[in-house]
mmCIF file of all heavy atoms in Angstrom:
data_model
loop_
_atom_site.group_PDB
_atom_site.id
_atom_site.type_symbol
_atom_site.label_atom_id
_atom_site.label_comp_id
_atom_site.label_asym_id
_atom_site.label_seq_id
_atom_site.Cartn_x
_atom_site.Cartn_y
_atom_site.Cartn_z
ATOM 1 N N TRP V 83 3.327 21.444 7.485
ATOM 2 C CA TRP V 83 3.194 19.997 7.280
ATOM 3 C C TRP V 83 2.013 19.432 8.064
ATOM 4 O O TRP V 83 1.893 18.219 8.232
ATOM 5 C CB TRP V 83 4.477 19.283 7.694
ATOM 6 C CG TRP V 83 5.621 19.532 6.770
ATOM 7 C CD1 TRP V 83 6.632 20.409 6.936
ATOM 8 C CD2 TRP V 83 5.853 18.894 5.514
ATOM 9 N NE1 TRP V 83 7.496 20.360 5.870
ATOM 10 C CE2 TRP V 83 7.023 19.429 4.974
ATOM 11 C CE3 TRP V 83 5.172 17.911 4.791
ATOM 12 C CZ2 TRP V 83 7.546 19.030 3.766
ATOM 13 C CZ3 TRP V 83 5.686 17.506 3.577
ATOM 14 C CH2 TRP V 83 6.864 18.067 3.076
ATOM 15 N N ASN V 84 1.136 20.286 8.584
ATOM 16 C CA ASN V 84 0.044 19.866 9.457
ATOM 17 C C ASN V 84 -0.763 18.693 8.893
ATOM 18 O O ASN V 84 -0.998 17.715 9.587
ATOM 19 C CB ASN V 84 -0.877 21.053 9.738
ATOM 20 C CG ASN V 84 -1.936 20.743 10.757
ATOM 21 O OD1 ASN V 84 -1.626 20.492 11.911
ATOM 22 N ND2 ASN V 84 -3.186 20.742 10.334
ATOM 23 N N ASP V 85 -1.188 18.779 7.652
ATOM 24 C CA ASP V 85 -2.032 17.721 7.080
ATOM 25 C C ASP V 85 -1.298 16.389 6.973
ATOM 26 O O ASP V 85 -1.867 15.335 7.262
ATOM 27 C CB ASP V 85 -2.582 18.132 5.715
ATOM 28 C CG ASP V 85 -3.622 19.231 5.820
ATOM 29 O OD1 ASP V 85 -4.198 19.415 6.917
ATOM 30 O OD2 ASP V 85 -3.847 19.924 4.814
ATOM 31 N N LEU V 86 -0.036 16.418 6.562
ATOM 32 C CA LEU V 86 0.730 15.178 6.459
ATOM 33 C C LEU V 86 1.002 14.582 7.841
ATOM 34 O O LEU V 86 0.906 13.366 8.032
ATOM 35 C CB LEU V 86 2.046 15.402 5.719
ATOM 36 C CG LEU V 86 2.917 14.163 5.542
ATOM 37 C CD1 LEU V 86 2.179 13.076 4.758
ATOM 38 C CD2 LEU V 86 4.216 14.514 4.856
ATOM 39 N N ILE V 87 1.309 15.430 8.804
ATOM 40 C CA ILE V 87 1.525 14.945 10.171
ATOM 41 C C ILE V 87 0.247 14.293 10.687
ATOM 42 O O ILE V 87 0.271 13.197 11.245
ATOM 43 C CB ILE V 87 1.981 16.093 11.092
ATOM 44 C CG1 ILE V 87 3.382 16.564 10.691
ATOM 45 C CG2 ILE V 87 1.943 15.672 12.556
ATOM 46 C CD1 ILE V 87 3.821 17.862 11.331
ATOM 47 N N LYS V 88 -0.880 14.952 10.473
ATOM 48 C CA LYS V 88 -2.178 14.432 10.926
ATOM 49 C C LYS V 88 -2.463 13.065 10.323
ATOM 50 O O LYS V 88 -2.788 12.114 11.028
ATOM 51 C CB LYS V 88 -3.267 15.433 10.550
ATOM 52 C CG LYS V 88 -4.642 15.078 10.988
ATOM 53 C CD LYS V 88 -5.705 16.125 10.611
ATOM 54 C CE LYS V 88 -5.232 17.342 9.925
ATOM 55 N NZ LYS V 88 -6.246 18.327 9.626
ATOM 56 N N THR V 89 -2.340 12.938 9.009
ATOM 57 C CA THR V 89 -2.650 11.659 8.368
ATOM 58 C C THR V 89 -1.646 10.576 8.756
ATOM 59 O O THR V 89 -2.014 9.418 8.927
ATOM 60 C CB THR V 89 -2.738 11.787 6.837
ATOM 61 O OG1 THR V 89 -1.525 12.326 6.333
ATOM 62 C CG2 THR V 89 -3.902 12.663 6.421
ATOM 63 N N SER V 90 -0.384 10.958 8.940
ATOM 64 C CA SER V 90 0.636 9.982 9.347
ATOM 65 C C SER V 90 0.366 9.448 10.746
ATOM 66 O O SER V 90 0.555 8.261 11.018
ATOM 67 C CB SER V 90 2.026 10.613 9.303
ATOM 68 O OG SER V 90 2.368 10.958 7.982
ATOM 69 N N LEU V 91 -0.082 10.324 11.638
ATOM 70 C CA LEU V 91 -0.370 9.878 13.003
ATOM 71 C C LEU V 91 -1.679 9.108 13.078
ATOM 72 O O LEU V 91 -1.782 8.128 13.807
ATOM 73 C CB LEU V 91 -0.392 11.073 13.952
ATOM 74 C CG LEU V 91 0.962 11.726 14.191
ATOM 75 C CD1 LEU V 91 0.813 12.960 15.069
ATOM 76 C CD2 LEU V 91 1.947 10.750 14.795
ATOM 77 N N LEU V 92 -2.681 9.529 12.331
ATOM 78 C CA LEU V 92 -3.948 8.789 12.320
ATOM 79 C C LEU V 92 -3.761 7.392 11.746
ATOM 80 O O LEU V 92 -4.389 6.437 12.182
ATOM 81 C CB LEU V 92 -5.021 9.538 11.539
ATOM 82 C CG LEU V 92 -5.661 10.708 12.259
ATOM 83 C CD1 LEU V 92 -6.541 11.509 11.301
ATOM 84 C CD2 LEU V 92 -6.468 10.241 13.458
ATOM 85 N N GLY V 93 -2.894 7.263 10.765
ATOM 86 C CA GLY V 93 -2.622 5.972 10.149
ATOM 87 C C GLY V 93 -1.511 5.198 10.821
ATOM 88 O O GLY V 93 -1.175 4.095 10.405
ATOM 89 N N CYS V 94 -0.931 5.789 11.855
ATOM 90 C CA CYS V 94 0.173 5.160 12.597
ATOM 91 C C CYS V 94 1.355 4.795 11.700
ATOM 92 O O CYS V 94 2.040 3.806 11.931
ATOM 93 C CB CYS V 94 -0.300 3.945 13.383
ATOM 94 S SG CYS V 94 -1.315 4.387 14.795
ATOM 95 N N SER V 95 1.600 5.592 10.680
ATOM 96 C CA SER V 95 2.771 5.334 9.846
ATOM 97 C C SER V 95 3.995 6.083 10.365
ATOM 98 O O SER V 95 5.096 5.872 9.882
ATOM 99 C CB SER V 95 2.493 5.716 8.391
ATOM 100 O OG SER V 95 2.227 7.100 8.273
ATOM 101 N N GLN V 96 3.809 6.928 11.366
ATOM 102 C CA GLN V 96 4.912 7.632 12.011
ATOM 103 C C GLN V 96 4.763 7.518 13.512
ATOM 104 O O GLN V 96 3.658 7.680 14.024
ATOM 105 C CB GLN V 96 4.939 9.106 11.603
ATOM 106 C CG GLN V 96 5.355 9.337 10.178
ATOM 107 C CD GLN V 96 6.794 8.926 9.932
ATOM 108 O OE1 GLN V 96 7.679 9.115 10.766
ATOM 109 N NE2 GLN V 96 7.034 8.325 8.785
ATOM 110 N N PRO V 97 5.800 7.275 14.239
ATOM 111 C CA PRO V 97 7.073 6.805 13.712
ATOM 112 C C PRO V 97 6.916 5.407 13.128
ATOM 113 O O PRO V 97 6.066 4.643 13.593
ATOM 114 C CB PRO V 97 7.995 6.800 14.925
ATOM 115 C CG PRO V 97 7.100 6.757 16.106
ATOM 116 C CD PRO V 97 5.804 7.351 15.689
ATOM 117 N N PRO V 98 7.688 5.113 12.097
ATOM 118 C CA PRO V 98 7.545 3.808 11.450
ATOM 119 C C PRO V 98 8.009 2.668 12.353
ATOM 120 O O PRO V 98 8.823 2.886 13.253
ATOM 121 C CB PRO V 98 8.445 3.931 10.217
ATOM 122 C CG PRO V 98 9.440 4.975 10.568
ATOM 123 C CD PRO V 98 8.739 5.927 11.498
ATOM 124 N N PRO V 99 7.479 1.475 12.125
ATOM 125 C CA PRO V 99 7.935 0.320 12.905
ATOM 126 C C PRO V 99 9.448 0.175 12.789
ATOM 127 O O PRO V 99 10.020 0.343 11.720
ATOM 128 C CB PRO V 99 7.225 -0.865 12.252
ATOM 129 C CG PRO V 99 6.046 -0.267 11.552
ATOM 130 C CD PRO V 99 6.480 1.109 11.119
ATOM 131 N N GLY V 100 10.091 -0.086 13.904
ATOM 132 C CA GLY V 100 11.536 -0.259 13.910
ATOM 133 C C GLY V 100 12.327 1.030 14.013
ATOM 134 O O GLY V 100 13.553 1.001 14.005
ATOM 135 N N ALA V 101 11.649 2.181 14.110
ATOM 136 C CA ALA V 101 12.366 3.449 14.255
ATOM 137 C C ALA V 101 13.149 3.433 15.563
ATOM 138 O O ALA V 101 12.684 2.887 16.564
ATOM 139 C CB ALA V 101 11.391 4.612 14.236
ATOM 140 N N PRO V 102 14.342 4.036 15.565
ATOM 141 C CA PRO V 102 15.145 4.019 16.781
ATOM 142 C C PRO V 102 14.550 4.869 17.909
ATOM 143 O O PRO V 102 14.877 4.688 19.064
ATOM 144 C CB PRO V 102 16.496 4.575 16.326
ATOM 145 C CG PRO V 102 16.197 5.344 15.092
ATOM 146 C CD PRO V 102 15.019 4.671 14.452
ATOM 147 N N VAL V 103 13.683 5.791 17.565
ATOM 148 C CA VAL V 103 13.034 6.657 18.544
ATOM 149 C C VAL V 103 11.534 6.547 18.334
ATOM 150 O O VAL V 103 11.052 6.427 17.214
ATOM 151 C CB VAL V 103 13.478 8.123 18.342
ATOM 152 C CG1 VAL V 103 12.807 9.040 19.333
ATOM 153 C CG2 VAL V 103 14.986 8.243 18.448
ATOM 154 N N THR V 104 10.783 6.549 19.396
ATOM 155 C CA THR V 104 9.335 6.455 19.278
ATOM 156 C C THR V 104 8.696 7.382 20.298
ATOM 157 O O THR V 104 9.390 8.123 20.981
ATOM 158 C CB THR V 104 8.857 5.003 19.459
ATOM 159 O OG1 THR V 104 7.475 4.931 19.126
ATOM 160 C CG2 THR V 104 9.104 4.493 20.864
ATOM 161 N N PHE V 105 7.370 7.385 20.346
ATOM 162 C CA PHE V 105 6.688 8.152 21.373
ATOM 163 C C PHE V 105 5.478 7.391 21.874
ATOM 164 O O PHE V 105 5.068 6.408 21.293
ATOM 165 C CB PHE V 105 6.311 9.560 20.911
ATOM 166 C CG PHE V 105 5.587 9.646 19.599
ATOM 167 C CD1 PHE V 105 4.268 9.250 19.477
ATOM 168 C CD2 PHE V 105 6.218 10.179 18.496
ATOM 169 C CE1 PHE V 105 3.602 9.368 18.279
ATOM 170 C CE2 PHE V 105 5.553 10.292 17.291
ATOM 171 C CZ PHE V 105 4.250 9.884 17.178
#
Side-chain angles (χ1 to χ4, degrees):
W83 289 99
N84 187 65
D85 290 340
L86 181 60
I87 292 168
K88 182 179 358 182
T89 56
S90 295
L91 291 176
L92 283 171
C94 289
S95 63
Q96 289 295 322
V103 179
T104 189
F105 50 73

